[in-house]
Amino acid sequence: MDLLAKLAGSYILVNTTAWNNGTELPNSLGNNYTGILTYTRTGWMSANLASTDAEFSPQNITWPPRENNSDTDWLLAAKHALSYAGQLSVSDAYPATEEEGQLIHGPLTVSSLPSWRGTLQLRNYTVYKRDDGVFLKIWAYRGDFKTHIWWKRLD
């Protein structure tokens, strides 16, 4: 079974929740957000998440940045977004199936968090097949900090 081929595709962000020491945290993306997760059959991935809340989405910044763009506005937008990309592989730490297991995002070649570049990000996963689509639950643990992210398959 080629597990990466089974998981390959594009997914849209449905929901994200984080906890620290058992206490639910406010969503760092805000109340409204969007995102796309892409896995390829050949072992590459990309995750892009961003707030769509007006207070975290300054409309006056441009790409490429211009001198009249405020660093404060750029920092606000960056604080409420996360993007990274790199290699994708199946971890052998747990038995992996089409329904559940652990993936390795990385080593990351690109990341909006400079400290993540070159790192491996472990992501446990569970696949849910329902009448309204295929859902992928990804979660990560770092000590007492836990994050659950739900994605819906687009293709």
Side-chain angles (χ1 to χ4, degrees):
M1 170 187 64
D2 183 1
L3 187 55
L4 292 184
K6 298 286 186 185
L7 294 174
S10 297
Y11 300 81
I12 191 157
L13 181 63
V14 174
N15 188 9
T16 177
T17 308
W19 299 268
N20 191 14
N21 290 317
T23 301
E24 188 171 339
L25 301 173
N27 191 321
S28 61
L29 295 173
N31 294 318
N32 302 290
Y33 42 83
T34 189
I36 297 286
L37 174 68
T38 304
Y39 289 152
T40 72
R41 295 173 179 271
T42 56
W44 294 94
M45 62 76 51
S46 175
N48 300 281
L49 302 87
S51 175
T52 58
D53 287 338
E55 64 267 32
F56 303 137
S57 304
Q59 298 299 306
N60 58 331
I61 57 178
T62 59
W63 188 261
R66 301 216 168 57
E67 287 184 28
N68 64 342
N69 290 174
S70 157
D71 285 348
T72 302
D73 285 344
W74 272 103
L75 289 170
L76 181 64
K79 184 177 179 180
H80 299 281
L82 174 64
S83 293
Y84 65 90
Q87 293 178 28
L88 174 68
S89 58
V90 178
S91 168
D92 60 5
Y94 304 100
T97 68
E98 289 183 38
E99 290 81 31
E100 62 185 7
Q102 186 177 69
L103 298 170
I104 302 170
H105 292 180
L108 299 180
T109 12
V110 176
S111 178
S112 59
L113 293 172
S115 63
W116 279 20
R117 292 181 200 139
T119 66
L120 303 177
Q121 300 293 317
L122 301 177
R123 300 291 185 259
N124 295 346
Y125 70 90
T126 303
V127 176
Y128 296 89
K129 295 178 182 176
R130 303 181 350 184
D131 291 342
D132 56 341
V134 175
F135 293 82
L136 179 65
K137 178 183 175 186
I138 298 286
W139 66 95
Y141 301 115
R142 287 186 189 82
D144 292 327
F145 182 79
K146 300 175 184 177
T147 304
H148 290 187
I149 305 174
W150 285 87
W151 302 91
K152 183 177 183 184
R153 190 177 184 115
L154 292 172
D155 54 6

